[in-house]
Amino acid sequence: MSSEAVSASAGKLKYLIITAFVMALDQFTKYIVSTRMQLGDEIDVIRNFFAISYTQNPGIAFGMLNSGALRWLFVAISVIAVLVVLVYMMRTSAANRLLLWSLSLLAAGICGNLIDRVRIGRVIDFFLLHYKDNQFPVFNVADTAISIGAALMAIELFIAPQSERATEPVPAESSLLDGEKPEVRSQESEIRSPNLGNAE
């Protein structure tokens, strides 16, 4: 294996470690909440803004599609999604840091909620943002990772490529042009030299 391949593999290993760390953080926080609070308990952290509210969600992120009958469908979709993300991560260049950050966070978030679905059939949520009678759906660390990962991927797909195309030259074209110029010059010199000889 070449040194470049080893360096690329080492670079991607860092993102797998990030995935494992975020997934572990998600499971640790869920464990703390589930063992120290009763289902339905709520602790105000910032009054009228942020609270820890222990809920269990049978649906997908942020409480959507919360029908328990879809448990194994969500498990199957999550497994496929994780595999797709990991394959995409392995095929992504180590130089594309933004996309690798996106994929690592997506993998961590999907795996975090997948573990809950397989283990208890529901996802543990506890972060609650609210103001008076208005509240955002309860979420967790895994949901946060998925949201940030999706946002980074949107930036990579719709913003980053345009700036890169505008500032970076295409190496294949530049090298091709550099290779053609000496050949053209040599052909021109061969054509001119007989003419000079005839003129003399």
Side-chain angles (χ1 to χ4, degrees), residues 119-178:
R119 188 170 61 88
I120 61 175
R122 295 167 177 262
V123 174
I124 296 174
D125 292 328
F126 51 89
F127 289 142
L128 174 62
L129 297 176
H130 63 99
Y131 180 71
K132 295 184 178 179
D133 294 332
N134 303 310
Q135 71 175 44
F136 193 76
V138 187
F139 60 102
N140 55 39
V141 174
D143 296 334
T144 304
I146 291 172
S147 298
I148 296 174
L152 292 177
M153 180 168 286
I155 293 172
E156 165 65 22
L157 293 176
F158 298 108
I159 299 176
Q162 296 178 5
S163 60
E164 288 174 4
R165 283 196 296 266
T167 57
E168 294 184 1
V170 180
E173 293 181 359
S174 61
S175 61
L176 181 61
L177 290 174
D178 291 341

Side-chain angles (χ1 to χ4, degrees), residues 10-73:
K12 290 183 180 180
L13 179 61
K14 175 179 69 175
Y15 296 99
L16 292 176
I17 293 173
I18 292 171
T19 296
F21 173 78
V22 175
M23 186 170 61
L25 177 63
D26 174 70
Q27 290 298 302
F28 176 72
T29 53
K30 289 173 178 175
Y31 172 78
I32 294 297
V33 169
S34 63
T35 55
R36 299 191 179 186
M37 298 176 66
Q38 295 294 321
L39 192 63
D41 284 354
E42 186 172 308
I43 301 172
D44 270 333
V45 179
I46 302 176
R47 187 175 178 81
N48 290 326
F49 179 70
F50 177 59
I52 301 297
S53 178
Y54 178 24
T55 63
Q56 291 187 357
N57 168 31
I60 58 176
F62 303 107
M64 294 183 288
L65 299 177
N66 56 355
S67 171
L70 299 175
R71 172 187 177 184
W72 294 109
L73 174 62

Side-chain angles (χ1 to χ4, degrees), residues 56-112:
Q56 291 187 357
N57 168 31
I60 58 176
F62 303 107
M64 294 183 288
L65 299 177
N66 56 355
S67 171
L70 299 175
R71 172 187 177 184
W72 294 109
L73 174 62
F74 292 148
V75 168
I77 293 173
S78 298
V79 170
I80 294 171
V82 169
L83 293 176
V84 170
V85 170
L86 290 177
V87 169
Y88 196 13
M89 184 184 294
M90 292 299 97
R91 293 185 176 182
T92 299
S93 169
N96 197 338
R97 297 178 181 178
L98 185 61
L99 183 56
L100 286 172
W101 266 101
S102 167
L103 295 170
S104 63
L105 291 175
L106 286 172
I110 297 170
C111 285

Side-chain angles (χ1 to χ4, degrees), residues 186-196:
S186 62
Q187 290 177 352
E188 290 177 353
S189 61
E190 289 176 0
I191 293 171
R192 289 176 182 172
S193 57
N195 292 336
L196 292 173

